[in-house]
């Protein structure tokens, strides 16, 4: 039966046995009096079915007393080697049962009263954790080659215990234990030992799931209902668990496990010679996201081979780094999403040319993240993918590391970025606008904005072209209009990025004519930005005005000269030679004055 559960088919094949009244109790009654082989088989079955929500609680209720007794016998001075082996396996079962609630005592059919003895009190999880940690330390310190199977069992048990928030801090503070365990697992050729150590790292560094506002409200209602049925002590425990899983605590634990060698452990587990399973790859991808969430660890991930290791875990469905035209699609495999998410976090902070041998493969993955759904986790992925793409698109134009054209044109990614600019989520919209600010340096992207921008301007040579009514919506069809609108939003970084893109685009006379002769609000938006106290806004507007004044169209200069406040603002900015906007303001003022 244990073998059936380990194969994942126990619940289906032997489900009817569990329904037989008293059958579970009979099993454990035999274990209390039978031979060691029977007890080992019982422990193996309890271990294998512990995660079965229907069977695990019944097994715990019936066998908790005997299993704890086996642990006590193994710790006595008179214990034999057989007793110690049984105790070791029993301690693993207790660790897995620590998160399983016992089923309540059942009433008898005659009276309806409970006649069963009170259930055995659960073993103290902290005592169990200390027991397994000491067991690992003793095994690693033993002379000769440590018993790998025993180390693996103790590590697996410790990993299960660390599903409980209150034990995570207790375990992670044992630096010598983690260093010794990780070092041993890295050197070991046994994949299952590495997996047990990896799952321990996973449980120590797992963040709470990101929820939408609606999901948060639902969880609060559920917690209120649960707390109403608990005693005060239980409620305090819940609050303590939530505090232990707060982001700052998880981040601190991530730093400690990395200090103990967790990154090298992850890298060693996915080496080709280990023939890593999908479960190992999934766990490595999940842990990488958690570690990369802490900004201080991103460089370490790169230095210790984390990027190459992550790329090696991608499924066959993931996009590859080829130069053929390609339309990005949402990633189908969850592992690929996690790998892309982890790499996005790394690409935000680490110079791309240092972290990635071929940024194109990363660009494909990140664009695919932009096509995710709109739940809370997907929005976070989009936001960080956009930040990473912005960093990737910040290389010197025309340099070997310049991926602007590949991103926007070869991969048809510009349309996806524009969709993100229109997002209702302010952070996604901000990050997408910052990416556009970097992409406009690409000639083809630039032409998307400048092409036909001035087609509505009258051909007659008049001094001042009357601006259209704001109710005339013909000007709204131009891409430049969106940048003007974004230059006037409340979010400061979005406003700054949009104005920065316009500062680049106004180097083309067509854009200047659209902004100053066609768009009804652009001149006023620029003047408003110039009045802002921020130096960066003054600098951007000074460049826009300098470009417009030298665009070669006297009608644009006339419009600037006759707009109240422009000349005054330029004179103020041209008064302080220490400021970055001084040269542009002085140039614009000279052009306006001489034409």
């Amino acid at each position: 039966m244990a073998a059936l559960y380990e194969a994942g088919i126990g619940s289906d094949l032997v489900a009817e046995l569990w329904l037989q009244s008293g059958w579970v109790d009979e099993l454990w009654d035999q274990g209390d009096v039978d031979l060691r082989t029977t007890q080992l088989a019982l422990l193996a079955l309890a271990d294998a079915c512990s995660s079965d929500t229907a069977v695990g609680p019944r097994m715990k209720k019936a066998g908790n007393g005997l299993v704890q007794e086996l642990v006590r016998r193994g710790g006595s001075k008179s214990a034999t080697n057989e007793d110690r082996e049984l105790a070791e396996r029993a301690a693993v079962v207790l660790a897995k049962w620590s998160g399983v609630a016992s089923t309540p005592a059942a009433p008898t059919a005659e009276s309806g009263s409970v006649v069963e003895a009170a259930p055995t009190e659960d073993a103290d999880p902290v005592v169990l954790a200390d027991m397994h940690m000491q067991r690992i330390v003793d095994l690693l310190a033993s002379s000769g080659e440590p018993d790998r199977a025993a180390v693996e069992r103790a590590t697996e048990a410790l990993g299960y215990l660390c599903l409980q928030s209150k034990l995570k801090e207790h375990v992670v503070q044992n630096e010598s234990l983690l260093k010794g365990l990780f070092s041993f697992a890295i050197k070991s050729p046994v994949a299952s030992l590495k997996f047990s150590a990896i799952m321990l790292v996973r449980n120590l560094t797992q963040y709470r799931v990101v929820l939408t506002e609606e999901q948060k409200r639902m969880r609060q209602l559920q917690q209120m209902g649960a707390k109403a049925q608990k005693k005060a002590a239980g409620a305090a425990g819940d609050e303590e668990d939530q505090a232990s899983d707060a982001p700052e605590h998880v981040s601190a634990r991530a730093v400690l496990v990395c200090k103990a060698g967790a990154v090298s452990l992850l890298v060693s587990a996915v080496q080709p010679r280990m023939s890593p399973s999908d479960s190992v790859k999934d766990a490595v991808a999940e842990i990488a996201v958690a570690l990369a969430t802490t900004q201080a660890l991103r460089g370490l991930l790169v230095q210790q081979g984390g990027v190459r290791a992550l790329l090696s875990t991608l499924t066959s469905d993931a996009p590859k780094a080829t130069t053929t035209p390609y339309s990005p699609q949402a990633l189908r495999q969850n592992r690929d999403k996690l790998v892309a998410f982890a790499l996005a976090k790394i690409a935000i902070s680490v110079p791309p040319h240092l972290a990635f041998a071929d940024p194109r493969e990363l660009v494909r993955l990140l664009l695919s993240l932009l096509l995710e759904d709109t739940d809370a986790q997907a929005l976070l992925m989009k936001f960080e993918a956009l930040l990473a793409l912005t960093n990737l698109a910040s290389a010197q134009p025309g340099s070997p590391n310049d991926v602007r054209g590949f991103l926007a044109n070869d991969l048809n990614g510009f349309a996806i970025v524009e969709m993100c600019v229109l997002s209702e989520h302010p952070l996604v919209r901000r990050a997408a606008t910052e990416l556009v600010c970097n992409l406009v340096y690409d000639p083809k992207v630039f032409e998307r904005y400048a092409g036909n921008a001035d087609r509505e301007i009258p051909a007659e040579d008049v001094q001042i072209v009357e601006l259209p009514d704001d109710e005339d919506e013909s000007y709204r069809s131009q891409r430049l209009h969106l940048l003007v609108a974004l230059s006037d939003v409340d979010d400061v970084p979005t406003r700054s990025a949009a104005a920065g893109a316009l500062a680049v685009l106004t180097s083309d006379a067509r854009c200047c004519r659209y902004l100053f002769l066609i768009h009804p609000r652009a001149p006023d938006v620029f003047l408003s930005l110039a009045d802002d106290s921020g130096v960066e806004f003054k600098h951007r507007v000074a460049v826009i005005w300098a470009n417009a004044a030298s665009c070669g169209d006297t009608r644009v200069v006339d419009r600037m000269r006759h707009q109240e406040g422009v000349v005054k603002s330029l004179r103020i900015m041209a008064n302080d030679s220490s400021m970055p906007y001084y040269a542009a303001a002085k140039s614009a003022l000279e052009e306006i004055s001489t034409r």
Side-chain angles (χ1 to χ4, degrees):
M1 288 178 64
L4 291 176
Y5 272 99
E6 288 173 357
I9 55 176
S11 299
D12 299 326
L13 297 183
V14 296
E16 291 185 5
L17 283 176
W18 299 110
L19 300 177
Q20 297 179 15
S21 177
W23 184 74
V24 175
D25 295 309
E26 289 179 8
L27 276 180
W28 287 103
D29 287 343
Q30 291 178 8
D32 205 8
V33 297
D34 274 12
L35 301 174
R36 170 180 170 276
T37 52
T38 304
Q39 294 172 335
L40 281 173
L42 264 176
L43 292 172
L45 176 59
D47 187 336
C49 69
S50 60
S51 59
D52 189 312
T53 55
V55 176
R58 297 177 66 186
M59 288 288 282
K60 175 182 177 180
K61 178 172 176 289
N64 202 4
L66 174 60
V67 176
Q68 290 194 45
E69 176 60 27
L70 291 176
V71 172
R72 281 192 290 271
R73 289 178 194 170
S76 67
K77 293 182 180 180
S78 60
T80 65
N81 289 336
E82 289 183 351
D83 290 335
R84 282 189 280 271
E85 182 183 2
L86 280 170
E88 178 189 311
R89 294 176 185 270
V92 173
V93 172
L94 289 179
K96 294 187 177 183
W97 277 353
S98 64
V100 176
S102 299
T103 55
T108 61
E110 297 176 356
S111 63
S113 61
V114 175
V115 296
E116 299 179 16
T120 304
E121 186 177 345
D122 287 351
D124 186 343
V126 176
V127 173
L128 287 174
D130 289 338
M131 182 189 304
H132 289 295
M133 286 193 288
Q134 188 59 50
R135 176 64 173 156
I136 294 171
V137 170
D138 291 343
L139 286 166
L140 296 180
S142 61
S143 59
E145 182 68 18
D147 184 342
R148 288 197 184 98
V151 173
E152 181 181 334
R153 286 193 293 269
T155 304
E156 182 185 10
L158 199 57
Y160 270 90
L161 288 166
C162 285
L163 289 171
Q164 301 180 51
S165 298
K166 62 183 179 182
L167 290 177
K168 295 178 182 180
E169 298 293 335
H170 182 66
V171 172
V172 82
Q173 296 299 328
N174 196 330
E175 183 180 349
S176 60
L177 164 81
L178 295 179
K179 280 186 176 180
L181 174 60
F182 294 165
S183 176
F184 181 68
I186 289 168
K187 297 173 184 176
S188 174
V190 180
S192 57
L193 172 59
K194 291 182 187 289
F195 182 68
S196 294
I198 285 172
M199 293 308 292
L200 172 61
V201 175
R202 174 192 173 275
N203 294 341
L204 288 172
T205 59
Q206 193 172 30
Y207 282 85
R208 287 200 295 260
V209 177
V210 179
L211 302 176
T212 62
E213 289 303 318
E214 182 178 353
Q215 289 171 329
K216 289 178 182 177
R217 288 193 292 271
M218 288 296 296
R219 175 165 287 188
Q220 287 172 352
L221 290 174
Q222 292 169 354
Q223 289 173 344
M224 288 171 62
K227 285 182 179 180
Q229 301 174 11
K230 290 182 178 181
K231 296 179 180 179
D238 287 344
E239 292 172 3
E240 182 182 346
D241 287 351
Q242 291 180 12
S244 297
D245 283 335
E248 60 272 20
H249 288 282
V250 182
S251 179
R253 291 199 295 269
V255 171
L256 290 174
V257 297
C258 284
K259 187 177 179 182
V263 176
S264 296
L265 171 65
L266 301 183
V267 173
S268 73
V270 295
Q271 294 300 311
R273 60 183 174 79
M274 295 302 302
S275 300
S277 65
D278 286 339
S279 296
V280 169
K281 292 178 180 179
D282 290 344
V284 167
E286 188 175 351
I287 294 168
V289 172
L291 299 184
T293 299
T294 300
Q295 187 172 346
L297 297 177
R298 294 170 185 172
L300 183 68
L301 283 165
V302 174
Q303 293 169 8
Q304 298 190 0
V307 170
R308 290 191 300 276
L310 280 172
L311 290 172
S312 73
T313 66
L314 289 170
T315 71
S316 57
D317 290 337
K320 304 303 178 185
T322 60
T323 55
T324 55
Y326 166 80
S327 295
Q329 299 175 347
L331 298 168
R332 293 193 295 270
Q333 303 294 334
N334 188 58
R335 187 201 308 161
D336 293 336
K337 294 178 186 180
L338 292 174
V339 169
F341 194 21
L343 293 175
K345 291 175 179 290
I346 292 171
I348 291 171
S349 304
V350 182
H353 66 282
L354 297 178
F356 307 101
D358 188 350
R360 295 175 303 161
E361 185 168 18
L362 181 61
V363 168
R364 288 173 175 272
L365 288 169
L366 297 180
L367 280 177
S368 295
L369 280 186
L370 301 187
L371 297 171
E372 288 299 312
D373 295 329
T374 55
D375 59 43
Q377 183 72 7
L379 285 172
L380 180 59
M381 286 183 175
K382 282 185 180 183
F383 173 63
E384 302 212 6
L386 286 164
L387 293 180
L389 287 169
T390 300
N391 195 22
L392 287 168
S394 64
Q396 185 70 24
S399 69
N401 297 314
D402 185 6
V403 297
R404 293 178 180 86
F406 180 73
L407 186 167
N409 309 316
D410 296 349
L411 299 183
N412 302 316
F414 188 73
I416 301 174
V417 176
E418 280 192 310
M419 286 170 50
C420 293
V421 171
L422 298 172
S423 170
E424 295 181 358
H425 195 283
L427 291 180
V428 172
R429 183 168 61 244
R430 174 201 297 177
T433 307
E434 291 173 341
L435 177 54
V436 167
C437 185
N438 280 358
L439 290 179
V440 293
Y441 288 97
D442 177 76
K444 290 184 179 179
V445 175
F446 190 104
E447 192 60 26
R448 289 174 188 261
Y449 286 94
N452 296 320
D454 58 352
R455 65 180 181 275
E456 301 293 335
I457 296 179
E460 300 93 310
D461 187 13
V462 294
Q463 281 298 96
I464 300 178
V465 178
E466 291 297 328
L467 290 174
D469 244 348
D470 200 12
E471 296 178 359
D472 178 9
E473 296 187 356
S474 61
Y475 69 90
R476 297 178 186 270
S477 62
Q478 231 291 334
R479 282 188 168 93
L480 287 166
H481 164 64
L482 181 57
L483 291 178
V484 173
L486 291 169
S487 299
D488 197 31
V489 297
D490 292 334
D491 185 63
V492 173
T494 302
R495 206 161 68 232
S496 175
L502 290 172
V504 176
L505 292 166
T506 49
S507 61
D508 189 292
R510 292 170 295 176
C511 295
C512 292
R513 284 193 284 269
Y514 170 83
L515 294 170
F516 286 89
L517 303 180
I518 296 179
H519 199 287
R521 296 193 60 250
D524 291 334
V525 170
F526 298 150
L527 187 59
S528 174
L529 291 173
D531 291 339
D532 193 286
S533 59
V535 172
E536 61 183 78
F537 287 112
K538 293 182 184 297
H539 190 193
R540 284 159 171 70
V541 175
V543 172
I544 291 171
W545 281 342
N547 288 337
S550 60
C551 74
D553 193 318
T554 56
R555 295 170 297 179
V556 172
V557 178
D558 286 340
R559 167 61 60 194
M560 294 173 63
R561 185 184 297 117
H562 286 83
Q563 184 185 2
E564 185 178 354
V566 172
V567 174
K568 179 181 177 182
S569 292
L570 283 171
R571 284 175 177 164
I572 293 173
M573 287 191 284
N575 234 7
D576 190 346
S577 60
S578 66
M579 288 297 180
Y581 48 70
Y582 168 77
K586 183 178 179 183
S587 173
L589 198 57
E590 289 174 353
E591 290 287 343
I592 292 175
S593 302
T594 57
R595 289 182 182 271

